[in-house]
Amino acid sequence: MDIKRIFCIGRNYAAHIEELGNAPDSDCVVFMKPPSCVVPVGQPIRLPRGVGAVHHEAELVVALNGGGSDIAIEQALKHVGAFTLGLDLTLRDLQNQLKDAGKPWELCKAFDDAAPLGHWVAYRGEDLQALEFKCHVNGALRQHGQTRDMLYSVARQIQILSRTWALAAGDVIYTGTPKGVGPLQAGDSITLESDAIGRFEWSCG
Ligand code: ZN
């Protein structure tokens, strides 16, 4: 699939908001990564060096096969064409500095290789809010997500994004991460898996 744009939703799981010390009543955050950030399964992730911790954020990812503006929440899931798992890699130390300085997040979120992405599974009306997924690093469980814990459902995210952008086929949404984010090191192996989606592995270089 040709990816047109990558939207990312932040602060979408209460327990993750808490682990980063963010205010629980803040709105969901929206940011973007260029499609050039994608790392397909089987290709090594080149971690940035000398810029502090690189954190994994395991996320459900959906791809749209259509869209439009001002999409009603009841109509939103009609535009989902496929789903998978992905990593919203984040330079956490740099993000904290940028947040403190009130600066934008591109440097900590949109660097090369910041969006490892699994293989797409065609969407056939599965309940996207009843999925379970796990992230292991070197075999140790780091994140265990339940999409029912999302503060903003996938349908709500599509509704929100469509108020600002005319959504279209090829738009991809990283839907936020559950708790358990942590650092990756060169030599680590990271896997994402979900019974409904599959198992994907990357090595970090
Ligand atoms: Zn994220």
Side-chain angles (χ1 to χ4, degrees), residues 129-145:
Q129 304 310 136
L131 299 173
E132 182 177 5
F133 60 97
K134 292 179 181 169
C135 172
H136 288 85
V137 178
N138 303 327
L141 181 65
R142 292 275 193 89
Q143 292 186 268
H144 185 176

Side-chain angles (χ1 to χ4, degrees), residues 9 31 57 59 88 109 176-177:
I9 303 296
F31 57 94
E57 294 191 358
E59 310 198 358
D88 164 20
K109 287 285 198 182
T177 199

